[in-house]
């Protein structure tokens, strides 16, 4: 019986392999350049966005032509471990009757069919007229021919690029910004591009209308160009909230009953660049990461989200239980005025003066690009210790964009009295150190214009992409370098992807039979929230929060999935909460006992009848106890999160064949022992039988 179980487990383990293994072999721990193997040596232009174009669970890239008048797709080929160009997906935009210089490409499923589309933004003359009309058009995806023949025109906006979000909780991608028609600089009014696409009206995707906010009026402000915007859960209810900022930040909370209401606002440090959002201290709340430069130098500021913590003891008060990770904390707050902050540990400054190469400052804007292109600080956990690290770009200031520039990897470490203020040490805040060991291949590159994290080949490691200056006279001409992460990390990871719930498995088969179906993996759905709890090696439980695709403006180069470290743990992921933007009684569910080092794909598909019931019953109610598991829709009800599908993929390591060999060998040895003992027992029985035949019964004589 035990042999049968072992054999079954071995077969199950091997069957989990998605396509086989093409592992990279290196001699030592560190970063390795794979430019010669990656297939992007002759790319014309730059990388503009990431997305899974063909729905095979591998991340592809969308490129922008060097003249900013065309875009294309490079697919990742797992068998050759390289990108290959999909020539059918290359589109060149005609420059008549109006010029159209592409300034941003936003991947997403805009017609809600499970295929990846792109929203292309552009202006007539970005360098000469940076404040001019921003033209937009959508190219619908077709997995066979790249894109549909005819694009769909979208009403224009002002130069401030609209952000993606979900207006009314239908899990369709809407836009928030300033409509070009009727815009009044003296009294700016935010507008929403509401997604109204349907199979009966294929000529229109968005309908522009004024954005309505409920409750307290927000302070009047004008979005900068560029601006920092994100759609991410900030109040702890696993329902994404919009946040915008330029010289200051404004947060609106997403209320399922009232709509969007103003929450709070505050100032950004002087000289601030693009704001990033991540749970920097592993307390289950998303914080702000703010780069800034002044005459005194450059710094990274962390504005911590002051939110109700996770309960760690029975006697602790004003805390969350593990079943209440998706319950709103109305008292959440950020430090509003960083220049006059008291010592509370809520706002931490990390000076880069001793970290950046001599004579260099943070590169906050790529001036060579035709249009506004801020350079973001990218957040990713390269060592999988469950605390996000930072990837920054710095350059000499020569005003021409040709000076030395490079990327620097900063590792997150716990504050100590030698590195932080005492209040920051008491609050267990984080600071950063430059990664030097094993990072020569990164620190030696001297012409970096942008850098981003991604996972090459979906193997659970946070790799690095560098966009380097290419001297071709074109504003968007970049050489692409890929750096593979081969640090030997004694830690686990978890990778998650939530779809937009358009279909349960295969999309488009019944709607248009002439087109092939698509798996709903490549939809770049914004707003999904993941919260999880883990036990560290000391037995202390803590919570982490991760957002999926929180921002899409200004070619931010964010991945459509979430990859986060679990650190050193000796247990499963005890609770994983998954929240989406659907406005219904329960918009989240819980999974228990998730296997580390796995990829989870959550498909929040629900039948249309169930969605109507939820909306008809009033979407502002909290259906039962928070965090009450996967069904969570109330007694006697069906549907809702109970209909969601979870697909789990485990990528086998190099040890799997040896596990199989070991199991087979063990089975053979055990079988040999069983056969030998069985033969010995039969032989002994035969001897006893023969001996019994020769026994004489003397009593019978």
């Amino acid at each position: 019986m035990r042999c049968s179980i072992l054999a079954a487990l071995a077969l199950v383990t091997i069957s989990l392999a998605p396509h086989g293994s093409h592992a990279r072999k290196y001699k030592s721990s560190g970063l390795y350049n794979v430019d010669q193997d990656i297939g992007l040596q002759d790319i014309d232009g730059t990388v503009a966005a990431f997305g899974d174009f063909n729905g095979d669970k591998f991340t592809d890239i969308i490129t922008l032509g060097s003249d900013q008048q065309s875009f294309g797709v490079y697919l990742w080929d797992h068998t050759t471990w390289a990108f290959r160009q999909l020539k059918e997906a290359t589109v060149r935009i005609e420059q008549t009757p109006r010029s159209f210089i592409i300034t941003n490409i936003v991947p997403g499923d805009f017609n809600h069919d499970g295929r990846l589309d792109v929203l292309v933004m552009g202006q007539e003359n970005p360098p000469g007229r940076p404040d001019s009309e921003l033209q937009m058009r959508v190219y619908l995806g077709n997995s066979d021919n790249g894109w549909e023949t005819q694009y769909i025109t979208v009403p224009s906006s002002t130069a401030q690029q609209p952000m993606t979000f979900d207006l009314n909780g239908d899990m369709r991608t809407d836009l928030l910004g300033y409509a070009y028609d009727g815009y009044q600089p003296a009294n700016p009014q935010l507008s929403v591009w509401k997604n109204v696409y349907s199979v009966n009206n294929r000529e229109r995707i968005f309908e522009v209308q004024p954005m309505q906010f409920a409750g307290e009026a927000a302070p009047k402000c004008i979005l900068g160009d560029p601006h920092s915007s994100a759609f991410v859960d900030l109040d702890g209810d696993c329902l994404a909230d919009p946040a915008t900022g330029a010289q200051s930040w404004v947060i609106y909370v997403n209320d399922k009953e009232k709509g969007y209401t103003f929450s709070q606002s505050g100032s950004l440090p002087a000289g601030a660049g693009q704001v990033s959002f991540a749970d920097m201290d592993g307390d289950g709340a998303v914080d702000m990461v703010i780069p800034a430069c002044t005459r005194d130098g450059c710094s990274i500021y962390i504005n911590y989200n002051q939110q109700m913590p996770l309960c760690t003891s029975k006697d602790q008060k004003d805390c969350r239980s593990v079943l209440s990770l998706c319950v709103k904390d109305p008292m959440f707050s950020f430090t509003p005025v960083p220049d006059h902050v008291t010592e509370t540990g809520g706002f931490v400054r990390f000076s880069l003066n001793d970290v950046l190469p001599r004579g260099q400052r943070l590169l906050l804007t790529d001036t060579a690009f035709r249009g506004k292109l801020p350079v973001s600080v990218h957040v990713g956990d390269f060592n999988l210790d469950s605390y996000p690290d930072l990837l920054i770009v710095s350059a000499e200031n020569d005003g021409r964009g040709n000076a030395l520039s490079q990327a620097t990897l900063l590792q997150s470490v716990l504050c100590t009295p030698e590195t932080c203020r005492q209040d920051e040490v008491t609050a267990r805040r984080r600071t950063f150190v430059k990664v030097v060991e094993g990072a020569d291949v990164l620190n030696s590159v001297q012409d970096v214009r942008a850098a981003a994290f991604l996972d090459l080949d979906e193997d659970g490691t946070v790799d690095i992409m560098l966009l380097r200056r290419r001297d071709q006279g074109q504003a968007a001409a970049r050489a692409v370098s890929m750096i593979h992460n081969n640090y030997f990390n004694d830690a686990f990871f978890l990778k998650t992807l939530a779809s937009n719930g358009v279909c349960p498995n295969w999309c488009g088969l019944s709607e248009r039979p002439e087109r092939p179906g698509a798996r709903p993996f490549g939809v770049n759905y914004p707003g999904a929230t993941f919260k999880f709890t883990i036990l560290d090696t000391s037995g202390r439980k803590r919570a982490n929060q991760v957002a999926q695709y929180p921002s899409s403006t200004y070619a931010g180069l964010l991945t459509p999935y979430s990859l986060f470290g679990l650190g050193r743990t000796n247990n499963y992921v005890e609770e994983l909460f998954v929240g989406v933007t659907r406005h219904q009684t329960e918009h989240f569910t819980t999974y228990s006992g998730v296997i580390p080092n796995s990829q989870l794909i959550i498909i929040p598909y629900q039948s249309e009848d169930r969605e109507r019931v939820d909306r008809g019953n009033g979407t502002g109610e909290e259906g039962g106890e928070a965090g009450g598991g996967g069904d969570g829709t109330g007694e006697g009800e069906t549907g809702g999160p109970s209909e969601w599908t979870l697909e789990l993929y485990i990528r086998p390591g190099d040890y799997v064949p040896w596990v199989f060999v070991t199991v087979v060998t063990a089975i053979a040895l055990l079988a040999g022992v069983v056969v030998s003992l069985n033969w010995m027992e039969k032989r002994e029985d035969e001897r006893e039988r023969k001996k019994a035949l020769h026994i004489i019964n003397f009593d019978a004589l």
Side-chain angles (χ1 to χ4, degrees), residues 113 115 199 202 502-504 506-518 605 608:
D113 67 346
R115 294 178 177 84
V199 294
R202 302 176 185 273
V502 60
C503 61
W506 287 88
C507 304
L509 292 177
S510 59
E511 178 185 337
R512 299 179 66 179
E514 71 277 8
R515 293 177 59 187
Y605 172 80
E608 294 183 2

Side-chain angles (χ1 to χ4, degrees), residues 12 42 104 185 264 341 430 449 521:
V12 168
D42 300 325
N104 190 27
Q264 54 192 279
V341 63
R430 313 287 296 183
R449 304 304 299 173
F521 301 149

Side-chain angles (χ1 to χ4, degrees), residues 6 21 43 85 150 247 250 263 301 315 358 374 559 562 598:
L6 288 173
S21 178
I43 188 173
Q85 184 179 13
Q150 185 64 36
Q247 296 179 349
V250 179
S263 174
Y301 295 87
D315 299 331
R358 186 177 181 85
T559 57
S562 298
S598 60

Side-chain angles (χ1 to χ4, degrees), residues 174-284:
D174 309 300
L175 305 176
L176 179 65
Y178 296 118
Y180 183 75
D181 292 336
Y183 177 76
Q184 300 178 357
N187 186 25
Q189 174 66 43
L190 282 172
S191 301
V192 59
W193 283 253
K194 183 180 178 180
N195 195 318
V196 295
Y197 184 90
S198 68
V199 294
N200 299 322
N201 184 9
R202 302 176 185 273
E203 303 301 322
R204 186 175 62 162
I205 290 186
F206 296 109
E207 179 183 273
V208 180
Q209 61 188 42
M211 180 63 183
Q212 301 293 330
F213 293 101
E216 181 183 352
K220 287 190 176 182
C221 63
I222 301 176
L223 288 180
D225 184 25
H227 59 85
S228 300
S229 297
F231 190 48
V232 58
D233 172 34
L234 296 172
D235 60 355
D237 60 356
C238 296
L239 193 64
D241 313 300
T244 62
Q247 296 179 349
S248 61
W249 50 266
V250 179
I251 296 174
Y252 302 91
V253 293
N254 191 349
D255 189 290
K256 290 185 287 188
E257 184 176 3
K258 300 178 182 178
Y260 291 100
T261 60
F262 169 72
S263 174
Q264 54 192 279
S265 63
S267 301
L268 290 173
Q274 287 290 99
V275 181
S276 303
F277 294 84
D279 183 2
M280 300 303 296
D281 56 348
D283 64 348

